[in-house]
Amino acid sequence: MSSLRKTDLKAIVISLIVFAVLQGLISSEALDPFWQLNIIVICINIIMSVSLNLINGYTGQFSLGHAGFMAIGAYTGAVLSVNFHMPFIVGLITAFVTAAIIGCLIGLPTMRLSGDYLAIATLGLGEIIRIVIMNVNYVGGAAGFMGIPKSTNFAWAFFVMLFVVFFIKNYVNSSFGRACVAIRENEIAAEAMGVNTTKYKVLAFTVGAGFAGVAGCLFAHTFYIVHPSSFTFLSSFNYLIMVVMGGMGSITGSIAGAFILTTISALLSDWPELRMSIYAVVLIALMFYRPQGLFGNIEITSLPIFKRFKGGK
Amino acid sequence: MSILLEAKNISKLFGGLKAVSNFNMTINKGELVGLIGPNGAGKTTAFNLFTGVYQPTSGTLSLDGRSLLGMKPSQITQRGLARTFQNIRLFSELSVLDNVKIAYHTHLNYNLLEAAFRFGRYIKQERQIEETGRELLKIFKLEDKADEIAKNLPYGAQRRLEIARALATHPQLLLLDEPAAGMNPQETNELMDMISWIRKEYALSILLIEHDMSLVMGICERIYVLEYGSIIAQGVPDEIKKNPEVIRAYLGEEA
Amino acid sequence: MGIMDQFLQQLINGISLGSIYALIALGYTMVYGIIKLINFAHGDIYMVGAYIGFFCITIMNWPVLPALLVSMLLTGILGMLIERFAYRPLRSAPRISVLITAIGVSFFLEYTMMYFVTPQPRTFPSLLDDAAYHIGPFIINNQQIMIFAITIILMAILTYIVQYTKVGKAMRAVSFDTETAQLMGINSNRIISVTFGIGSALAAAAGVLVGIYYNSIDPLMGIMPGLKAFVAAVLGGIGILPGAAAGGIILGIIEALVSGFISSTFRDAAAFAILILVLLFKPSGLLGKNTNEKV
């Protein structure tokens, strides 16, 4: 099982190479500012989709309120930077903690619900979070919160994303993750195996919410402003679509889903209406021809080609 | 002999319907007890009451002298009462080994951070359950299928995996809900041997629901007969075979 | 104006708004009842209905009633086409796939419409004079009377169809148990199609009425009311027709009262808060029955 650690090390080395290449492209200005920004957005969206996958894909609890937790993190981070002049890392950690606490408070009562009821309840709670923020003048109300320092650069976004991906990958490959998957597969049998289903559902929801908060904090410090309209249920749909497109229960899939959708969206940004129509058609086509998503529940590390590439197990 | 499970005057009402009424049962340590009765008699309801899926409307229930009332199914499993399901409830999209690993859940005590950062305790315990899990599968002749997806197993193998999975929770008392359902006679015979063997090997008590009379009469030491939610007879197999109440319940009034 | 008068006035406003929600919610609940799909595109069907009504009235210069009927007819057909081409092929697919498809259809309707009519809101011509009548303590204007009248008529027709016609009986049968209904010789695909048609027609009526009531329509107008209507359906007990009607009216009244007495910015939050309270304490809705999984 020490091969587990070896796999991790290899993956980290590969990630560092990817980072070095991308950072090189950015520093040498081979990438124009538009794409520099979009690479950061991709990292943020990967955090959102991977953390949502923990809740929706692995634990099978249908959440449609992920953008609400992102909003909490974004505003927490913004307030700490602007009003309290805290260092960025403090903002990120506090964003995690705040979003996780609120996620836990929301998760405790709602995780008793299942299926569509849970979906619609989380959607409603996400909207409530947004509307409450919109009515708090201290954070700018409906006009948005302005003057946030642009602390998020590519390095921050990339390494935070890397941390989150590893955290969640290891989460799902532990007894915690197995408990989640057991709940998804058969809740009654999971209880019969001694899995406290409420506890593990709420835990997954809490951790997922916390990381959405981290993504929100990165997001707030990418643009000069945060605005409640960035966190409607339509953005939650967007993250859900990334997860489903990549494959529920595949981290590789969530990363791919976030990458592809963000890229498409950036490429078509000059034609806003057409972009959404195309997006819709692609989405429907995907559900018709590959409903399990691009990766199903397969990870890239378990594909034969990757194993050979890494010299076997 | 000391009492392991004790159910006293348990009743369960669903709306106005009495699914189980004044149900009394004791199981001693090390005993293998059968629970039989016609369809709809309330056998599975009794299991659901024992395992916390339902709470009794009235009555008391204890395992090893400690009450089980008001506990969640997971807490009852942690106390040492495991079960299988009549309608197989495997984690069907997962591998056979993962099914068993989930059942080791309560015996792992590393925390989330140790898991997320792959500390020593995580590595050690994961390696341990990987090994014991494979050994357990060997006992149930499933070792070749450890990495197969559970839903692709043949029916008999799925039933065996359910039992293996229940055993992995380290129970004192194992409840088997129709373990031989859908098996052919040869498979049933093998199953009987296996049940007898695991009971000795793991010093278990077993309560089983079964329709296959040869299985029940063949291995159970005591039998309870349930009809319309009430126990109508109990005793050793030979007594039960001769009991007129039981014959009437199974064959109808004329017999 | 005293508190009481204000309360009564908000009540009238609430029932008007609630009637709109109820009409949309009926379609939601019928579709959910029959194929267990949260049809997120339903709000956009209502938007399309509003636009068809708008063009009938402005370009064709038709009076309200023909415009309403034509809008209902065309939108009903649109609903059936969507069901036929987007949802039916996925009948045996995982529910998440169908849900995502519904989101896709929703985006498609919104932005394709936007492509053709531009994102700018259109001003609905005012067809009725703004006369208001004092009936006891209430003040009711023409638009509100029209909303009440049309809602009541449509609900009566729907009740008749569902309770007394062959199609209605088949709808209830399919909703109760699709497979058994099929064994009884019911063509469930046809019934599901009819359900979409009726639901969409009701949404179209709501769209036209909203145009007349608020005088403004835009391609994204369906998002919030669609969601609210779903809340209304859950509130009343999803799959139950009287529940959807009652849920819609209750939601409308609550929103009007919150806007009138607290702040209009909290009116959406109030709707969702109520939804969550209902879900937590009676997830099957006000008129629903609780069911448990058999072990």
Side-chain angles (χ1 to χ4, degrees):
Chain A
M1 192 87 34
S2 59
S3 68
L4 272 182
R5 276 174 169 162
K6 234 181 267 172
T7 318
D8 277 3
L9 272 179
K10 280 175 191 164
I12 288 171
V13 170
I14 294 169
S15 310
L16 288 178
I17 295 170
V18 171
F19 172 76
V21 171
L22 287 173
Q23 186 62 59
L25 287 175
I26 291 171
S27 305
S28 65
E29 302 202 344
L31 281 176
D32 61 30
F34 176 75
W35 284 103
Q36 291 184 17
L37 186 66
N38 268 296
I39 288 189
I40 293 175
V41 174
I42 288 172
C43 292
I44 293 171
N45 287 349
I46 288 175
I47 299 175
M48 288 301 287
S49 61
V50 171
S51 58
L52 184 63
N53 199 353
L54 176 65
I55 302 168
N56 280 26
Y58 288 94
T59 319
Q61 304 302 305
F62 206 149
S63 168
L64 283 178
H66 217 46
F69 301 115
M70 190 185 192
I72 290 168
Y75 277 88
T76 306
V79 166
L80 284 178
S81 294
V82 176
N83 298 15
F84 296 92
H85 309 291
M86 288 288 174
F88 191 33
I89 184 78
V90 176
L92 285 171
I93 293 169
T94 317
F96 177 88
V97 173
T98 317
I101 289 172
I102 293 177
C104 182
L105 291 177
I106 287 178
L108 275 172
T110 52
M111 284 295 143
R112 288 190 289 138
L113 302 169
S114 62
D116 295 337
Y117 291 127
L118 176 63
I120 204 74
T122 47
L123 191 160
L125 284 162
E127 284 295 295
I128 290 177
I129 291 173
R130 189 178 68 83
I131 294 164
V132 168
I133 290 174
M134 215 158 72
N135 284 283
V136 176
N137 288 328
Y138 180 71
V139 295
F145 193 117
M146 276 169 273
I148 305 162
K150 284 194 171 186
S151 311
T152 307
N153 56 21
F154 174 62
W156 270 110
F158 186 86
F159 285 107
V160 172
M161 183 241 350
L162 200 61
F163 175 86
V164 174
V165 169
F166 267 83
F167 190 101
I168 290 181
K169 175 186 79 73
N170 288 350
Y171 187 122
V172 299
N173 286 308
S174 70
S175 73
F176 295 88
R178 281 195 300 267
C180 290
V181 176
I183 291 167
R184 178 189 76 195
E185 291 293 311
N186 195 319
E187 203 167 331
I188 288 166
E191 272 283 337
M193 295 301 115
V195 174
N196 181 344
T197 50
T198 313
K199 176 181 152 190
Y200 286 95
K201 280 195 255 181
V202 174
L203 184 65
F205 198 71
T206 304
V207 172
F211 285 134
V214 170
C217 184
L218 287 171
F219 181 85
H221 292 80
T222 305
F223 305 95
Y224 168 78
I225 178 172
V226 275
H227 197 274
S229 66
S230 304
F231 309 105
T232 62
F233 69 96
L234 293 173
S235 348
S236 294
F237 281 4
N238 222 356
Y239 301 119
L240 174 72
I241 290 165
M242 290 174 189
V243 172
V244 176
M245 180 178 196
M248 310 246 282
S250 164
I251 289 172
T252 316
S254 295
I255 295 171
F259 175 81
I260 294 170
L261 284 184
T262 317
T263 310
I264 291 178
S265 172
L267 286 172
L268 294 174
S269 60
D270 287 340
W271 305 278
E273 288 105 30
L274 210 57
R275 174 185 84 169
M276 288 304 289
S277 297
I278 293 173
Y279 183 77
V281 171
V282 169
L283 202 60
I284 297 169
L286 185 78
M287 288 304 108
F288 271 47
Y289 299 108
R290 203 164 166 80
Q292 75 276 39
L294 298 173
F295 284 83
N297 57 2
I298 309 289
E299 297 296 348
I300 193 167
T301 44
S302 60
L303 294 175
I305 190 166
F306 197 80
K307 274 185 183 153
R308 197 177 318 136
F309 168 62
K310 292 195 304 183
K313 218 174 181 180
Chain B
M1 254 194 296
S2 58
I3 293 172
L4 183 59
L5 180 93
E6 187 167 38
K8 268 192 197 160
N9 290 321
I10 288 197
S11 295
K12 176 68 187 174
L13 293 168
F14 289 110
L17 184 80
K18 260 198 173 168
V20 166
S21 62
N22 292 323
F23 184 95
N24 287 290
M25 178 183 268
T26 52
I27 296 172
N28 297 316
K29 283 194 177 142
E31 242 186 336
L32 205 172
V33 179
L35 177 62
I36 63 172
N39 279 329
K43 302 182 297 288
T44 297
T45 305
F47 268 29
N48 286 336
L49 288 165
F50 292 169
T51 53
V53 175
Y54 302 145
Q55 288 297 325
T57 313
S58 61
T60 63
L61 180 68
S62 64
L63 185 73
D64 229 357
R66 291 156 77 198
S67 172
L68 294 179
L69 294 182
M71 295 179 91
K72 287 185 63 160
S74 56
Q75 293 172 305
I76 291 179
T77 306
Q78 287 164 22
R79 280 279 194 84
L81 203 163
R83 73 177 291 183
T84 64
F85 295 91
Q86 184 181 351
N87 47 347
I88 301 178
R89 283 180 181 269
L90 291 172
F91 305 118
S92 51
E93 297 289 334
L94 303 186
S95 75
V96 169
L97 184 61
D98 276 341
N99 265 273
V100 173
K101 278 187 178 177
I102 288 166
Y104 283 117
H105 177 81
T106 50
H107 306 285
L108 299 173
N109 59 0
Y110 56 76
N111 64 36
L112 181 56
L113 291 181
E114 286 172 318
F117 300 110
R118 304 230 147 137
F119 286 174
R121 188 143 69 142
Y122 164 84
I123 304 273
K124 192 173 144 232
Q125 294 190 354
E126 284 292 313
R127 188 186 297 144
Q128 210 173 350
I129 62 162
E130 170 101 16
E131 278 167 20
T132 45
R134 285 187 190 275
E135 276 165 32
L136 184 68
L137 289 177
K138 207 175 277 173
I139 294 169
F140 287 87
K141 301 198 188 88
L142 291 165
E143 73 269 29
D144 305 335
K145 306 200 157 121
D147 298 315
E148 269 185 43
I149 301 299
K151 68 173 179 194
N152 297 338
L153 290 183
Y155 188 76
Q158 293 197 13
R159 287 250 171 242
R160 293 205 303 277
L161 177 56
E162 269 232 329
I163 300 175
R165 197 178 62 167
L167 269 184
T169 66
H170 296 189
Q172 304 179 63
L173 173 62
L174 182 60
L175 307 184
L176 301 175
D177 199 344
E178 299 197 25
M183 287 187 172
N184 63 36
Q186 194 211 332
E187 285 176 321
T188 306
N189 277 332
E190 287 175 14
L191 181 76
M192 280 168 70
D193 292 344
M194 190 180 292
I195 291 174
S196 304
W197 187 84
I198 56 172
R199 172 189 168 211
K200 284 206 196 77
E201 181 71 15
Y202 294 91
L204 278 178
S205 313
I206 295 176
L207 172 65
L208 67 88
I209 294 176
E210 194 45 74
H211 278 299
D212 189 318
M213 281 303 149
S214 65
L215 189 150
V216 177
M217 297 295 170
I219 63 173
C220 292
E221 285 145 8
R222 270 194 312 132
I223 292 170
Y224 284 84
V225 187
L226 197 61
E227 192 195 17
Y228 296 123
S230 305
I231 299 283
I232 57 165
Q234 61 153 312
V236 298
D238 283 338
E239 291 168 11
I240 295 296
K241 273 183 208 162
K242 290 178 204 137
N243 187 313
E245 277 285 292
V246 178
I247 295 169
R248 183 195 52 75
Y250 268 86
L251 300 177
E253 291 294 347
E254 302 88 340
Chain C
M1 206 153 73
I3 286 277
M4 197 58 206
D5 290 336
Q6 207 188 334
F7 175 79
L8 292 172
Q9 204 44 53
Q10 291 301 346
L11 206 60
I12 294 286
N13 294 344
I15 297 173
S16 314
L17 179 65
S19 303
I20 308 279
Y21 286 156
L23 286 175
I24 312 174
L26 284 167
Y28 247 124
T29 222
M30 285 163 73
V31 166
Y32 189 91
I34 213 154
I35 56 169
K36 300 283 171 289
L37 163 69
I38 303 180
N39 182 12
F40 275 116
H42 195 60
D44 305 300
I45 287 178
Y46 143 95
M47 175 273 294
V48 173
Y51 269 93
I52 295 177
F54 172 79
F55 287 122
C56 286
I57 290 165
T58 54
I59 297 177
M60 316 292 284
N61 280 317
W62 290 354
V64 179
L65 215 53
L68 182 80
L69 291 176
V70 167
S71 167
M72 286 177 71
L73 179 70
L74 293 181
T75 313
I77 294 172
L78 174 70
M80 291 164 96
L81 288 175
I82 290 172
E83 189 278 326
R84 176 64 190 83
F85 292 106
Y87 301 148
R88 191 178 300 176
L90 294 171
R91 197 79 88 222
S92 55
R95 285 178 56 199
I96 176 91
S97 312
V98 196
L99 188 77
I100 299 275
T101 306
I103 296 174
V105 171
S106 164
F107 287 164
F108 185 78
L109 291 177
E110 285 162 16
Y111 291 92
T112 310
M113 185 59 98
M114 200 183 272
Y115 187 76
F116 289 111
V117 303
T118 78
Q120 304 313 320
R122 301 286 178 114
T123 310
F124 223 87
S126 40
L127 299 162
L128 308 167
D129 41 339
D130 279 333
Y133 309 93
H134 292 256
I135 304 171
F138 300 103
I139 306 169
I140 298 183
N141 63 29
N142 270 332
Q143 285 92 337
Q144 288 169 329
I145 290 173
M146 182 166 155
I147 289 179
F148 297 154
I150 290 179
T151 305
I152 289 168
I153 292 169
L154 290 176
M155 283 185 185
I157 296 173
L158 179 69
T159 311
Y160 174 77
I161 292 175
V162 172
Q163 293 297 332
Y164 301 106
T165 65
K166 213 175 157 187
V167 170
K169 281 177 192 156
M171 278 166 67
R172 283 183 288 148
V174 173
S175 157
F176 190 76
D177 185 337
T178 310
E179 280 174 24
T180 311
Q182 261 170 323
L183 290 175
M184 298 293 123
I186 293 170
N187 179 346
S188 67
N189 275 337
R190 198 177 74 87
I191 296 304
I192 292 169
S193 186
V194 170
T195 307
F196 268 87
I198 296 176
S200 303
L202 292 173
V208 176
L209 292 177
V210 155
I212 295 168
Y213 191 42
Y214 292 114
N215 291 330
S216 169
I217 58 172
D218 69 88
L220 300 183
M221 68 185 273
I223 298 177
M224 253 313 154
L227 201 56
K228 298 285 185 53
F230 185 71
V231 170
V234 174
L235 190 63
I238 189 119
I240 304 167
L241 292 180
I249 305 276
I250 292 171
L251 195 67
I253 292 174
I254 289 166
E255 285 196 7
L257 293 180
V258 170
S259 317
F261 289 97
I262 303 171
S263 155
S264 63
T265 49
F266 276 109
R267 100 181 190 181
D268 293 349
F272 291 117
I274 285 160
L275 167 78
I276 285 149
L277 290 177
V278 169
L279 285 177
L280 292 181
F281 295 105
K282 198 162 185 318
S284 52
L286 297 175
L287 303 183
K289 281 192 206 133
N290 287 314
T291 49
N292 285 320
E293 189 185 357
K294 193 166 159 38
V295 182

